Amino acid sequence: MHNVLMEVQDLSYQYADGTQALKGVNLQIFRHEKLAVMGSNGSGKSTLFLNLNGVYRPTQGKIFFAGQPLDYSRKGLLELRRKVGIVFQDPDNQLFCASVAGEISFGLYNLGLPEEEIRQRVDDICSKLSIDPFRDKPTHFLSGGQKKRVSIADILVMRPELLILDEPFSALDPKHAQMIDQILAQLAHSGITVVIATHNAAQAYRWADRVVILHEGRIEAEGAPEQIFSDKALLQRTNLLPPDLLLLTQKLQQKGLITADASPRTVEELCALL
């Protein structure tokens, strides 16, 4: 299909210690979609992401990007990581340059881009993500929320087609979580395909076009958020809880206060129905 950006076919991955982290995973990621991948710890989310980015190579199966199988040569992986960027759960595992500006420009220098283009891209992304006030600071002096923004800028400055974020809201206070939420909305609006791993059902329900549930290394289910989070047996089987907003919506529907086909994704949308 022309709108499939990335496809995983029969993907399995086994670690050196024998742990089978992924078992026959089949998945399509569509252009311009917002995809949430959920599952308990150890379900295989991070392993899947590292396979998509070429950090890991499948034990079995194939991965395709824009219809072409991944090329694991040095040149092929460099090209892949320009198009498929991953932001790790802990920014400290990603940031290693002395200054924020040096961190964000590092990948661009590796690409051999002209100095003027590098400066322009760094200026643009610092402005877009509100990094300008601390762009000249050492990265180790930044707060957790600032580090998260810089780690996202690291990838966005490369202008990827697919952005993967592993638990983007972990260890953030509500203010910085809201800021990252707004950034993700801007990215999706700009046409970048965004995939996140999250334990936050409310976030996935509000934000995602589609939800994929990983369980013990396999895809247990996938579908629209309303479909996934209304399946009580699925949620119990995979140790997930439904979002409070969906539960409230269902109660209001039972009482006849809103129509049975209503599916508000935010509190504001729900209030507008009352």
Side-chain angles (χ1 to χ4, degrees):
M1 294 172 62
H2 69 281
N3 61 342
V4 175
L5 180 61
M6 200 159 204
E7 182 169 10
V8 173
Q9 295 181 355
D10 195 30
L11 172 64
S12 294
Y13 186 82
Q14 181 174 307
Y15 285 98
D17 66 358
T19 301
Q20 191 73 33
L22 296 172
K23 306 166 187 175
V25 170
N26 291 285
L27 176 66
Q28 290 181 323
I29 299 171
F30 301 100
R31 292 183 187 274
H32 313 311
E33 83 167 326
K34 296 176 289 184
L35 176 65
V37 179
M38 301 191 71
S40 55
N41 290 335
S43 61
K45 300 186 301 295
S46 297
T47 303
L48 173 62
F49 287 176
L50 290 168
N51 274 270
L52 295 180
N53 187 246
V55 175
Y56 292 165
R57 187 167 183 170
T59 307
Q60 175 184 308
K62 293 183 178 180
I63 302 175
F64 298 84
F65 184 84
Q68 299 299 314
L70 297 196
D71 175 1
Y72 292 94
S73 69
R74 187 175 182 278
K75 181 181 178 182
L77 289 175
L78 184 62
E79 183 63 23
L80 175 68
R81 288 167 192 163
R82 287 179 61 182
K83 297 175 180 177
V84 181
I86 184 168
V87 178
F88 296 103
Q89 180 175 350
D90 183 353
D92 288 327
N93 291 335
Q94 186 170 332
L95 307 179
F96 58 88
C97 288
S99 72
V100 169
E103 178 69 40
I104 296 172
S105 62
F106 180 81
L108 299 178
Y109 279 110
N110 272 354
L111 294 179
L113 297 181
E115 188 79 30
E116 182 58 34
E117 182 177 352
I118 293 175
R119 188 178 303 110
Q120 186 62 55
R121 285 202 194 188
V122 172
D123 287 348
D124 288 348
I125 205 65
C126 285
S127 175
K128 186 175 183 179
L129 300 189
S130 302
I131 288 172
D132 281 322
F134 53 87
R135 64 179 289 168
D136 296 320
K137 284 188 175 182
T139 53
H140 61 275
F141 281 170
L142 303 182
S143 69
Q146 289 171 335
K147 286 180 179 179
K148 187 76 80 170
R149 271 184 281 164
V150 172
S151 65
I152 293 173
D154 261 2
I155 304 303
L156 288 185
V157 78
M158 307 289 283
R159 297 180 179 171
E161 295 179 50
L162 171 61
L163 178 65
I164 300 170
L165 302 103
D166 194 356
E167 297 290 350
F169 303 98
S170 65
L172 293 183
D173 58 45
K175 177 184 175 182
H176 285 105
Q178 184 179 36
M179 189 174 293
I180 298 301
D181 194 39
Q182 292 169 347
I183 290 170
L184 294 186
Q186 292 169 5
L187 296 178
H189 185 70
S190 71
I192 295 176
T193 301
V194 183
V195 178
I196 68 170
T198 180
H199 285 100
N200 189 328
Q203 169 66 29
Y205 183 67
R206 179 178 73 250
W207 175 84
D209 298 320
R210 186 164 56 109
V211 176
V212 168
I213 305 294
L214 269 177
H215 182 59
E216 297 180 351
R218 303 181 189 277
I219 291 184
E220 189 78 10
E222 60 179 294
E226 296 88 351
Q227 171 193 347
I228 293 296
F229 293 119
S230 295
D231 188 334
K232 294 179 181 179
L234 169 66
L235 297 182
Q236 185 173 22
R237 194 163 64 247
T238 54
N239 302 312
L240 295 172
L241 294 173
D244 290 339
L245 182 63
L246 178 60
L247 296 176
L248 178 57
T249 298
Q250 291 170 342
K251 286 290 185 185
L252 293 172
Q253 287 169 334
Q254 291 168 9
K255 292 179 179 295
L257 297 174
I258 60 175
T259 60
D261 62 348
S263 55
R265 295 288 194 89
T266 66
V267 172
E268 292 77 14
E269 288 178 4
L270 178 58
C271 289
L273 296 173
L274 296 172

